[in-house]
Amino acid sequence: MSFERPLGLVALVAVPLLLGLWLAEQRRRRAAAGSFSNPALLPNLVAARPGRLRHLPLALFLVALAALLVGVARPQASVSVPRREAVVVLAIDISRSMTAHDVAPTRFGAARAAAVGFLEKIPATYQVALVEFGTRAFVAVPPTTDRALVRAALANATPSEGTAIGDAVVLSALLGQRHRASDGTPLPASVLLLSDGARDGGRTSTGAAARRARRLHVPVSTVLLGTANGMVTVKLAGGFTERIRVPPSAGTLQALARGTGGTFFRARTSAALKAVYAKLATRLGHRTERREVTDLFAGGGIVLMLAGSALSALWFRRVP
């Protein structure tokens, strides 16, 4: 929490000062009463002593005063509010290693199924684009609110060679950054990149791609998919086949997320991947903004003050 007028908090010193004055007054009253009365006779004169409840109205009054004084400093808090419009670019690796079966049914099959679920969770007003990358990166679907187009492109994707991650990041960032809202302001854009390994080919290094995306103010969140046991089968000449291990490589995706202000996730199973997509859908559907919450402190202070006055009037026939 921050304050627009932090100097106003200096007034909070009035709360302990008032408490000190009240305690001093209580001691003075007890001393004055003891000077002309016999404390041993008090139980014969008073049916029941007020007990600790007598302090409750004053405590409510002091808390109410503190809340009102905090309100004078114009407190501000970060709150999560829904986004109405945004551009989300799904950048999905279609390289050969994504055909590994260590994530059922395959790495790409799990990614495709989870992406379909992701499309259903984000607001319908969001524009979604699809970028696929293997040997090269290309736009499979430009930003659109038509989810059927994106689902169809995902269904028709075919494996490729190479992993041009850097090219995919630059293409995705440019694609998301160029679109504007209905009022002409730039739409907030983000990239969700899913891959299982480091860069293999392409014209742009991942470091240069991250710097470009950061300059464009487009965060790139990355999802690493696969396990260390991933294997792919490659057909060789003469009818032979070769099994190649394709363990995932986290370093590149971690650096991309860190360098662009995005978030890195690791998904070793299809269920974990669905959980990642659900979390990202919620995050992308809201934004954090600073809002003044003076009214909450002022309203709370008034309620507490009224409660203290009501209790004092009910128990002692007086207000604090």
Side-chain angles (χ1 to χ4, degrees):
M1 180 177 291
S2 61
F3 299 90
E4 186 177 332
R5 300 173 182 172
L7 288 178
L9 296 175
V10 176
L12 285 173
V13 299
V15 176
L17 286 177
L18 288 174
L19 179 60
L21 290 173
W22 181 81
L23 292 174
E25 174 64 15
Q26 293 300 304
R27 286 194 294 269
R28 188 196 65 79
R29 291 178 61 184
R30 283 195 297 269
S35 63
F36 62 85
S37 66
N38 187 353
L41 299 176
L42 188 61
N44 299 322
L45 302 175
V46 181
R49 303 185 71 172
R52 295 181 178 179
L53 286 178
R54 71 183 188 278
H55 302 308
L56 183 57
L58 177 67
L60 291 176
F61 173 77
L62 292 176
V63 173
L65 179 61
L68 292 173
L69 292 175
V70 171
V72 171
R74 307 288 290 273
Q76 296 179 339
S78 297
V79 296
S80 179
V81 297
R83 272 197 182 120
R84 292 187 175 88
E85 293 182 276
V87 177
V88 180
V89 182
L90 292 174
I92 296 185
D93 186 350
I94 58 170
S95 63
R96 182 176 57 188
S97 60
M98 291 291 285
T99 63
H101 292 271
D102 55 333
V103 179
T106 63
R107 292 177 180 179
F108 181 73
R112 177 163 49 196
V116 171
F118 174 78
L119 294 175
E120 297 172 355
K121 290 181 174 65
I122 60 176
T125 54
Y126 278 27
Q127 296 188 45
V128 179
L130 178 63
V131 169
E132 298 174 5
F133 62 97
T135 306
R136 64 185 182 88
F138 61 94
V139 179
V141 179
T144 178
T145 56
D146 189 344
R147 304 293 191 256
L149 290 177
V150 182
R151 286 193 291 268
L154 285 168
N156 295 325
T158 56
S160 173
E161 300 292 333
T163 312
I165 292 182
D167 293 353
V169 169
V170 173
L171 178 60
S172 300
L174 289 171
L175 195 61
Q177 191 264 346
R178 289 172 179 170
H179 285 71
R180 295 184 173 272
S182 53
D183 60 359
T185 58
L187 282 174
S190 58
V191 176
L192 173 57
L193 183 143
L194 190 143
S195 179
D196 61 2
R199 174 196 174 205
D200 179 14
R203 294 174 296 177
T204 311
S205 69
T206 52
R211 290 190 293 271
R212 183 72 181 277
R214 194 173 189 88
R215 284 197 299 270
L216 294 172
H217 305 290
V218 178
V220 180
S221 292
T222 58
V223 182
L224 179 70
L225 185 63
T227 68
N229 299 320
M231 303 278 291
V232 295
T233 302
V234 180
K235 292 183 179 180
L236 302 176
F240 296 99
T241 59
E242 180 184 8
R243 289 173 63 81
I244 303 174
R245 297 181 67 88
V246 285
S249 177
T252 299
L253 301 191
Q254 289 174 328
L256 274 173
R258 184 171 57 250
T260 61
T263 306
F264 169 77
F265 298 93
R266 187 189 298 267
R268 294 185 174 91
T269 64
S270 56
L273 181 58
K274 289 179 181 178
V276 167
Y277 272 113
K279 184 183 296 184
L280 280 168
T282 301
R283 183 176 299 177
L284 293 173
H286 293 77
R287 70 179 188 276
T288 301
E289 65 177 36
R290 304 292 295 178
R291 285 190 176 179
E292 188 174 323
V293 290
T294 301
D295 52 343
L296 296 180
F297 283 89
I302 292 173
V303 169
L304 290 174
M305 194 168 289
L306 291 175
S309 298
L311 290 177
S312 182
L314 178 64
W315 291 342
F316 312 117
R317 299 297 187 268
R318 60 185 177 83
V319 295

